[in-house]
Amino acid sequence: QVQLKEFGGRLVQAGDSLRLSCAFSGREIRNYGVGWFRQVPGKEREVVIVQTTGGTTYYSDSVKGRFTISRDNAKNTMYLQMNSLKPEDTAVYYCAATLRYYSDIMDYTPPRAYDWWGQGTQVTVSS
């Protein structure tokens, strides 16, 4: 059973950069499709970035060009690098993992595609 834990959320100013970490324990991250999602109160959890085991990556339109995902297999950790942050990026950010295989990257974008989740970390961007 894999366990995920996010680190790095905090209060930042608009235009700042921030990197979130998601540590995997119990299994090797290289075997999992992974994703970053975010949620604000009263709204559904939405996809930010997802990535297959083969490296195919989907970026939501709201973060394209500003956010990137990466993995460090040696550290069994994945990262979300967030640049040019905006107040509308304020949310609880979650990392997620799945062992399921989907032939279309878009099938990795809904939250229901994932079986394991971290507890979330709060990112607040002040204007």
Side-chain angles (χ1 to χ4, degrees), residues 37-49:
F37 292 77
R38 65 187 182 187
Q39 190 169 22
V40 298
K43 292 191 175 181
E44 294 187 353
R45 193 167 298 187
E46 65 173 10
V47 64
V48 176
I49 298 176

Side-chain angles (χ1 to χ4, degrees), residues 27-73:
R27 294 289 188 272
E28 293 188 1
I29 187 174
R30 68 179 77 238
N31 298 319
Y32 289 81
V34 297
W36 286 97
F37 292 77
R38 65 187 182 187
Q39 190 169 22
V40 298
K43 292 191 175 181
E44 294 187 353
R45 193 167 298 187
E46 65 173 10
V47 64
V48 176
I49 298 176
V50 299
Q51 188 177 70
T52 70
T53 54
T56 302
T57 305
Y58 167 88
Y59 298 85
S60 71
D61 288 342
S62 61
V63 306
K64 198 173 296 182
R66 299 188 298 124
F67 292 13
T68 57
I69 189 173
S70 62
R71 307 189 196 206
D72 186 331
N73 291 336

Side-chain angles (χ1 to χ4, degrees), residues 2 22 24 43-44 52 57 62 68 71 77 79 83 90 94:
V2 66
C22 176
F24 277 55
K43 292 191 175 181
E44 294 187 353
T52 70
T57 305
S62 61
T68 57
R71 307 189 196 206
T77 300
Y79 304 96
N83 299 327
T90 295
Y94 299 88

